[in-house]
């Protein structure tokens, strides 16, 4: 039912975790997919191989997106090969610990540079091409933390909350150009990002118990809603935040 043949998707942080699952799912649905990696070229090459297994084209490019020049270069490189980007998935992000009163400015800036500034760099670079094409879809991967806050991760929560405001603002600004923009806000997901905290079985169990659906999401659980959002099934949706958290933020939980 969802058919993305002929579509070109650019997925940041597509070499692992949620980005990887999204890259594979969009390719399975028919899209050609470009991903970046920072250090792990081997992981990115493995994703490329899988995508090619679906008969799709995959571009793998090295880019540290916290640097504006590298973000712009990534977009230009994809454009130089494909001439367009139909879907931009801003997925790359970091989650670090920071206790207020002791948090260094470096920790704060590092989070803002990737989780927020890089999203601006990517959207700012892609939008002129989407306008030229007469449309496009952007999905920002935010977080439950951006909705309800997160103690000891206030910098992370602030960066993700800012994505919600950015998304809602641009939804109206870009609608006349046929560009839709939405957020997917995951709760806990079983990826490398949380591997260290989930290594403690007691902590993991306490998290599972706190989630109404009593399970921690797999990366594929987030990729599904992203696929839906880029597809025409979501053609009337823009400026929304899709919460994918097993019911975690409901007041009755
Ligand atoms: P992950 O750590 O497995 O993946 C993060 C990705 O970001 C990696 O592919 C990495 O290469 C990329 N990245 C890191 N620094 C980068 C940089 N400077 N330039 C370019 N790319 C860079 O984690 P994940 O769980 O797959 O996270 C994906 C997104 O989901 C993030 O935005 C994260 O904040 C969000 N999220 C994750 C969870 C969770 O519990 N895992 C919950 C809510 C939201």
């Amino acid at each position: 039912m969802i058919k993305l043949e002929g579509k070109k998707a650019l997925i940041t942080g597509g070499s692992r975790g949620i980005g990887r699952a999204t890259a594979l799912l969009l390719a399975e649905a028919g899209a050609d997919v470009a991903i970046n990696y920072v250090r792990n070229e081997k992981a990115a090459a493995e994703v490329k191989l899988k995508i090619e297994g679906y008969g799709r084209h995959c571009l793998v490019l090295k880019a540290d997106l916290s640097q504006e020049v590298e973000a712009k270069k990534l977009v230009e490189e994809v454009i130089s090969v494909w001439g367009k980007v139909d879907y931009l998935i801003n997925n790359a992000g970091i989650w670090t610990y920071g206790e207020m009163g002791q948090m260094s400015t470096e920790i704060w800036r590092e989070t803002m540079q990737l989780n927020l500034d890089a999203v601006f760099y990517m959207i700012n670079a892609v939008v002129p091409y989407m306008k030229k094409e007469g449309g496009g879809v952007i999905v920002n991967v935010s977080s439950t933390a951006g909705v309800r806050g997160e103690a000891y991760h206030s910098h992370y929560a602030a960066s993700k909350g800012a994505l919600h405001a950015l998304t809602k603002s641009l939804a109206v600004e870009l609608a006349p150009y046929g560009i839709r923009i939405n957020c997917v806000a995951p709760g806990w997901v079983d990826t490398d990002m949380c591997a260290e905290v989930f290594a403690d079985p007691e902590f993991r169990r306490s998290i599972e118990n706190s989630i109404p659906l009593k399970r921690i999401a797999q990366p594929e659980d987030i990729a599904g809603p992203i696929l839906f959002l880029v597809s025409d099934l979501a053609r009337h949706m823009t400026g929304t935040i899709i919460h994918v958290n097993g019911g975690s933020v409901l007041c009755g939980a």
Side-chain angles (χ1 to χ4, degrees), residues 28 60 74 95 99 141 172 193 200 247:
E28 205 180 338
V60 172
L74 173 65
W95 178 68
E99 187 176 343
V141 179
V172 178
M193 181 172 276
D200 174 357

Side-chain angles (χ1 to χ4, degrees), residues 92-95 110-120 141 155-156 159-160 163 193:
I94 46 168
W95 178 68
E110 180 193 38
T111 293
M112 291 302 162
Q113 276 164 4
L114 182 63
N115 293 10
L116 181 58
D117 297 355
V119 174
F120 155 68
V141 179
H155 51 329
Y156 177 80
S159 71
K160 296 299 190 178
L163 288 187
M193 181 172 276

Side-chain angles (χ1 to χ4, degrees), residues 97-110 155:
Y97 182 87
E99 187 176 343
M100 196 51 70
Q102 295 174 20
M103 196 189 321
S104 69
T105 304
E106 285 69 32
I107 294 278
W108 175 272
R109 284 303 319 148
E110 180 193 38
H155 51 329

Side-chain angles (χ1 to χ4, degrees), residues 25-121:
L25 195 64
L26 264 59
E28 205 180 338
D32 294 324
V33 178
I35 59 169
N36 80 289
Y37 68 94
V38 186
R39 276 173 294 275
N40 197 343
E41 189 175 0
K42 198 165 156 243
E46 184 257 342
V47 173
K48 178 178 164 75
L49 212 62
K50 275 189 178 285
I51 287 175
E52 287 170 350
Y54 292 127
R56 312 282 33 129
H57 191 200
C58 180
L59 300 177
V60 172
L61 301 155
K62 188 175 189 322
D64 174 354
L65 301 176
S66 62
Q67 307 302 315
E68 186 171 14
V69 283
E70 295 200 25
K72 276 184 172 166
K73 191 164 155 257
L74 173 65
V75 172
E76 291 308 324
E77 283 173 338
V78 173
I79 291 292
S80 72
V81 181
W82 286 337
K84 65 170 186 170
V85 172
D86 295 296
Y87 311 137
L88 169 64
I89 317 300
N90 288 307
N91 161 77
I94 46 168
W95 178 68
T96 57
Y97 182 87
E99 187 176 343
M100 196 51 70
Q102 295 174 20
M103 196 189 321
S104 69
T105 304
E106 285 69 32
I107 294 278
W108 175 272
R109 284 303 319 148
E110 180 193 38
T111 293
M112 291 302 162
Q113 276 164 4
L114 182 63
N115 293 10
L116 181 58
D117 297 355
V119 174
F120 155 68
Y121 302 148

